[in-house]
Amino acid sequence: MSHNNIEMKRNYNSGFGEFQPEDNYAAAQQEVKRLKGFYTHLIVYVAVNILIVFINIRDLDPGESYFKIENFFTAFFWGIGIVAHGFSVFLPNWIFGRNWEEKKIKELMEKEKSEKWE
């Protein structure tokens, strides 16, 4: 069976500590998707901001300086978004810590299990 036809499901019977090949492939696939999303975002950011610079330079009056605050709003605020996106891709454990998702899933499953029996 090729990798394209493998079902991307977590094998919950294996427990949280053990990963099956499907889990490893799915995790790698998810990581590639996140990287691709970030790099696409970055390329669009650079392209749009270069376009904005050219438009702003074209619209300058003779003798007018380009270095005005309004010429940098888009780059600055969108740049904050790029930095946040970069943190989420390259430092995912920075805010929530290591294995946060795994722990939260376990916690919610235990909570659901205990509520069923009450």
Side-chain angles (χ1 to χ4, degrees):
M1 184 183 293
S2 73
H3 286 297
N4 294 337
N5 296 329
I6 295 177
E7 285 188 47
M8 299 300 146
K9 292 195 263 184
R10 173 177 275 299
N11 184 353
Y12 285 105
N13 295 333
S14 68
F16 283 99
E18 303 170 23
F19 285 99
Q20 300 299 314
E22 300 89 27
D23 294 331
N24 292 336
Y25 183 79
Q29 189 176 41
Q30 183 66 25
E31 184 65 21
V32 167
K33 186 184 250 186
R34 291 174 56 164
L35 286 168
K36 183 179 178 184
F38 174 74
Y39 289 129
T40 301
H41 189 185
L42 185 61
I43 289 168
V44 170
Y45 170 81
V46 170
V48 168
N49 280 292
I50 287 172
L51 183 66
I52 289 172
V53 166
F54 284 127
I55 291 170
N56 286 341
I57 288 173
R58 185 193 67 191
D59 293 342
L60 283 177
D61 293 328
E64 185 180 11
S65 174
Y66 179 79
F67 297 99
K68 297 181 287 186
I69 191 80
E70 59 266 14
N71 289 337
F72 299 98
F73 279 146
T74 303
F76 178 75
F77 289 108
W78 193 354
I80 291 171
I82 288 283
V83 168
H85 192 173
F87 277 145
S88 74
V89 170
F90 297 106
L91 300 171
N93 299 325
W94 186 59
I95 293 175
F96 291 111
R98 199 172 287 271
N99 299 323
W100 179 84
E101 287 182 21
E102 202 71 27
K103 290 174 189 173
K104 196 64 177 174
I105 289 170
K106 221 175 188 179
E107 175 187 319
L108 292 173
M109 288 174 66
E110 289 297 321
K111 182 179 177 183
E112 184 178 316
K113 189 177 178 182
S114 68
E115 287 176 356
K116 278 185 178 179
W117 298 107
E118 289 180 3

